[in-house]
Amino acid sequence: MPQMPGLTDKAFLPISIFVLNVVLAIFRIILVSAVGACFVIYARYGGEYANSVRWIRSVGYLEMFQTLRSTKNKHVPGSVKRALVLGIIVTLAASLLDKGIAAFITPATRNGTPDRVVLNSTQPSIFGDIGYFLGWKLSVPDKGNVTEIMRKALISTALPDPKDGYDYNPVELDYNATCNNSGIRVGGTVLRSACMTVLPFPEDSFKTLFTTTNQADNRYLITLQKGAQPYLSLPLEWKFTYGTAGDNEYCVVTEDYQKPLNSVGFAVPLRTSTTKCFFFERENVAVVAMTTARFSPNSVYNATEVQDYLAEGSNELLVAMDEAINKPSPAPGRPGQPQNGTTVGMWAVIRATNTTIDFYACEYFDSSFECVYAVGSSILFHQPFENLKNATDNDLRERRRDRYMTLEYFMSAYNVTPVDTDDDVRWKLRSVSIEKMRNDTLAVADYMAQLGSSLHADFHNMKLYVQYDIAKINSGFEVPFWVLVVAGILLVVSLLSWQMTNWLIGSPYNSSLYSVIRSRLSSRSNTSISKIMRFRFEPLMFEDVKLLPDHVEYSSNEEHMPGDDKDHTNPSTV
């Protein structure tokens, strides 16, 4: 059952500015007419001055002000003056009320009923070991909304021929995750068992050269022997496997990274990469996202500076890394460097929490450190593949490592400022936030999961398929419901008062002075006189009938005027 809108909600009126102005003008006319109806009642029951007040008001503001000024020292009852003042105020308020209502009306657009269609566009792509589209490296400003940037990219980049005046929105589908727990595997060793397992290192490189230490229920320290191939010089590549199917169902996310030429004292802007994999046998979809922050603390690992840079003073992974590198105590005079004779070349601390993986690794190679903090997340869910009929099924069946998007955080905060101190190049960087990395990673994974089978790629034919809700954009205006309610009540009351006075009181109290004279002339001559009559000022005549005698004498006594004791509501002469 639809919920009734609240008074603070807004109604949408799909009308043009011309129609809106016409409606407001009609509203103003009805309100002013309702004020006139009130003065009809006053004319009927307000005494012998009342009709004069009503007729003066009908002429306009200037006449009302001039009359009010001229009666300042005249013998006019105070109630009549107050009625004249009230007429000025109420008429002005009724004339301006539509302007007040217009102040609450704002231009707006609303989408019509959407049509759901699948569109494909040609996208330059790399079709190799890892398939990905060229030109899909999205820039994220400081405090930018990553999911909104992804949505806009699908609208601005993936549309083949958008129509003006239509709104395109990638279809977001509901999903229910079938796995909410992450495990860890290094080489052939399962450190933590779960329905979804991450392999943070290439298995071929981690068979005999590493050791692991269980530091907590879900945190592990992994050390790699010195002399092995540098691991952090290459992009991170995480492999997620799912359920009991083992490697038959897996998804890989690869970091978009190229090591800078200056290998000492650098930092790379945050990057988030996301991958989606389709498993046709069970109609499952897996989404993987990973955000990395890379930096080099030079030849010395200073835990305080690292904590300042990563904006996490109490992060347990940073504390564990500091203890792993600096304990047992390093050689004298070189704090922050590995102890002489150590066989360790890389330290990594990894933690699995629900579907989130936190990973922090530092590598000591060629007398310098290189570190990376990475946050990964994966979502596995079941979804029918009816939207994939336009794609090349065989190509989708074979792909497991396609990178759909890379979001790169370009911010001036990541400019490196080297400072020479004691022959060491130290780095000064504005900090990044691990919490933001984690939130953005989860947001990217969630949005890719909502897209589900609405977004799929055919890298072999360089096609991207996106399912859109396409709706016509209707222009109009938004009005608060309480404004509509108040305006509706005023309109109904005004129409009723207008009609009731015309019906119950009628002529001559609702007629102009001109209409009264014409009606009286017609009744005296027993003929129908045209509604447009001939008129002359000298003498004052309508249709050759004088309105006033040639000589009129008024008493100078302001306390009593001739005829004050007579009934002038029905004069016997024109």
Side-chain angles (χ1 to χ4, degrees):
M1 184 176 180
Q3 187 177 2
M4 292 294 293
L7 292 179
T8 57
D9 295 334
K10 291 188 176 182
F12 178 72
L13 306 177
I15 57 177
S16 65
I17 184 66
F18 174 77
V19 174
L20 177 64
N21 286 328
V22 170
V23 171
L24 291 176
I26 295 174
F27 178 73
R28 181 174 64 251
I29 291 172
I30 294 175
L31 287 183
V32 173
S33 300
V35 175
C38 295
F39 275 88
V40 168
I41 300 174
Y42 174 68
R44 176 64 180 86
Y45 300 104
E48 56 188 8
Y49 288 98
N51 260 304
S52 297
V53 172
R54 187 177 70 85
W55 286 330
I56 291 169
R57 175 197 162 273
S58 66
V59 177
Y61 296 111
L62 182 60
E63 185 74 13
M64 286 190 286
F65 280 113
Q66 289 177 345
T67 303
L68 188 63
R69 181 181 178 184
S70 65
T71 58
K72 183 177 181 181
N73 298 317
K74 302 295 183 182
H75 175 68
V76 177
S79 60
V80 176
K81 295 180 181 180
R82 288 192 293 270
L84 193 58
V85 172
L86 184 62
I88 295 174
I89 296 174
V90 175
T91 304
L92 185 62
S95 301
L96 296 178
L97 190 58
D98 64 309
K99 305 297 188 298
I101 291 177
F104 294 95
I105 301 175
T106 55
T109 58
R110 290 280 180 92
N111 291 346
T113 303
D115 294 324
R116 186 162 292 186
V117 297
V118 177
L119 301 178
N120 71 84
S121 61
T122 300
Q123 301 285 337
S125 59
I126 298 297
F127 183 73
D129 190 34
I130 300 176
Y132 60 92
F133 293 120
L134 299 175
W136 280 74
K137 184 177 290 186
L138 311 177
S139 176
V140 180
D142 194 8
K143 298 181 181 179
N145 187 312
V146 290
T147 56
E148 183 63 19
I149 291 171
M150 293 170 67
R151 190 188 72 84
K152 289 181 178 179
L154 290 175
I155 296 173
S156 61
T157 308
L159 284 176
D161 187 19
K163 297 180 181 179
D164 292 335
Y166 285 83
D167 187 39
Y168 293 78
N169 282 300
V171 175
E172 299 176 18
L173 305 171
D174 295 331
Y175 70 90
N176 291 314
T178 58
C179 177
N180 295 303
N181 201 13
S182 299
I184 304 171
R185 192 172 89 196
V186 178
T189 304
V190 177
L191 304 182
R192 188 172 187 264
S193 179
C195 55
M196 176 171 56
T197 304
V198 62
L199 286 77
F201 304 106
E203 294 184 86
D204 294 339
S205 301
F206 282 76
K207 287 186 177 179
T208 58
L209 300 178
F210 73 95
T211 58
T212 62
T213 303
N214 186 351
Q215 296 186 320
D217 291 339
N218 61 348
R219 189 182 78 238
Y220 301 87
L221 172 66
I222 303 167
T223 57
L224 180 66
Q225 296 180 17
K226 185 185 292 183
Q229 180 181 358
Y231 173 68
L232 296 187
S233 297
L234 302 174
L236 294 184
E237 182 178 286
W238 288 6
K239 180 178 180 180
F240 287 80
T241 61
Y242 305 96
T244 58
D247 289 348
N248 291 326
E249 286 193 354
Y250 70 90
C251 200
V252 177
V253 61
T254 305
E255 179 190 18
D256 182 18
Y257 170 69
Q258 184 175 0
K259 186 173 181 177
L261 295 177
N262 178 18
S263 60
V264 178
F266 71 89
V268 176
L270 296 182
R271 284 187 171 94
T272 300
S273 296
T274 179
T275 301
K276 181 162 57 179
C277 299
F278 297 95
F279 307 127
F280 280 78
E281 291 79 9
R282 297 176 177 84
E283 289 193 325
N284 286 336
V285 180
V287 170
V288 180
M290 176 173 63
T291 302
T292 57
R294 283 184 175 264
F295 57 96
S296 171
N298 311 307
S299 58
V300 175
Y301 185 88
N302 187 306
T304 302
E305 288 187 350
V306 171
Q307 290 175 358
D308 290 342
Y309 172 58
L310 294 175
E312 290 283 346
S314 61
N315 185 285
E316 60 180 279
L317 270 68
L318 304 185
V319 175
M321 179 65 70
D322 181 37
E323 294 176 352
I325 294 177
N326 291 308
K327 295 180 181 180
S329 300
R334 303 295 292 174
Q337 282 189 330
Q339 189 176 15
N340 293 333
T342 181
T343 59
V344 177
M346 188 189 76
W347 299 260
V349 184
I350 186 169
R351 178 183 62 195
T353 307
N354 298 327
T355 61
T356 304
I357 304 295
D358 282 82
F359 175 86
Y360 181 39
C362 287
E363 190 171 52
Y364 189 72
F365 192 78
D366 287 341
S367 301
S368 65
F369 275 100
E370 181 174 353
C371 297
V372 58
Y373 198 105
V375 178
S377 179
S378 182
I379 300 173
L380 179 70
F381 57 97
H382 175 79
Q383 191 171 90
F385 289 169
E386 67 269 10
N387 296 330
L388 303 181
K389 59 184 179 180
N390 293 322
T392 305
D393 286 356
N394 291 333
D395 180 70
L396 283 170
R397 290 175 188 272
E398 294 172 2
R399 309 308 299 164
R400 289 293 185 272
R401 303 168 65 179
D402 301 330
R403 184 169 65 233
Y404 276 74
M405 297 182 187
T406 296
L407 295 100
E408 185 165 353
Y409 298 70
F410 287 104
M411 292 177 281
S412 60
Y414 299 100
N415 293 333
V416 181
T417 306
V419 177
D420 293 331
T421 305
D422 298 330
D423 299 327
D424 285 330
V425 180
R426 308 291 294 277
W427 46 273
K428 282 183 174 294
L429 302 167
R430 199 181 94 181
S431 61
V432 300
S433 170
I434 294 177
E435 189 64 27
K436 177 175 174 56
M437 292 173 61
R438 187 176 294 113
N439 292 338
D440 285 357
T441 304
L442 294 174
V444 168
D446 177 68
Y447 184 67
M448 286 292 286
Q450 290 182 57
L451 292 174
S453 55
S454 295
L455 172 69
H456 50 276
D458 178 0
F459 290 100
H460 183 74
N461 295 306
M462 293 191 296
K463 292 289 186 181
L464 176 66
Y465 294 86
V466 183
Q467 184 175 217
Y468 294 96
D469 279 335
I470 304 176
K472 182 176 177 56
I473 301 175
N474 298 316
S475 299
F477 298 89
E478 282 186 341
V479 187
F481 273 104
W482 71 266
V483 173
L484 289 179
V485 171
V486 172
I489 293 173
L490 289 175
L491 194 62
V492 171
V493 172
S494 298
L495 287 172
L496 287 176
S497 61
W498 185 19
Q499 292 300 319
M500 291 297 290
T501 52
N502 288 334
W503 179 46
L504 296 177
I505 299 178
S507 181
Y509 301 100
N510 65 345
S511 303
S512 66
L513 179 59
Y514 177 86
S515 298
V516 171
I517 294 173
R518 174 188 166 276
S519 176
R520 190 56 55 91
L521 289 175
S522 297
S523 64
R524 290 295 179 89
S525 61
N526 294 321
T527 59
S528 177
I529 297 178
S530 172
K531 290 188 176 181
I532 300 179
M533 298 184 294
R534 291 179 291 113
F535 175 79
R536 286 188 301 174
F537 281 102
E538 293 295 339
L540 200 62
M541 299 177 64
F542 274 108
E543 294 290 340
D544 299 328
V545 177
K546 289 184 179 182
L547 298 183
L548 296 174
D550 293 333
H551 301 284
V552 179
E553 293 183 2
Y554 294 98
S555 171
S556 60
N557 185 2
E558 292 186 350
E559 298 300 324
H560 183 77
M561 295 180 66
D564 277 355
D565 54 346
K566 298 180 182 179
D567 183 8
H568 293 276
T569 58
N570 293 296
S572 60
T573 60
V574 176

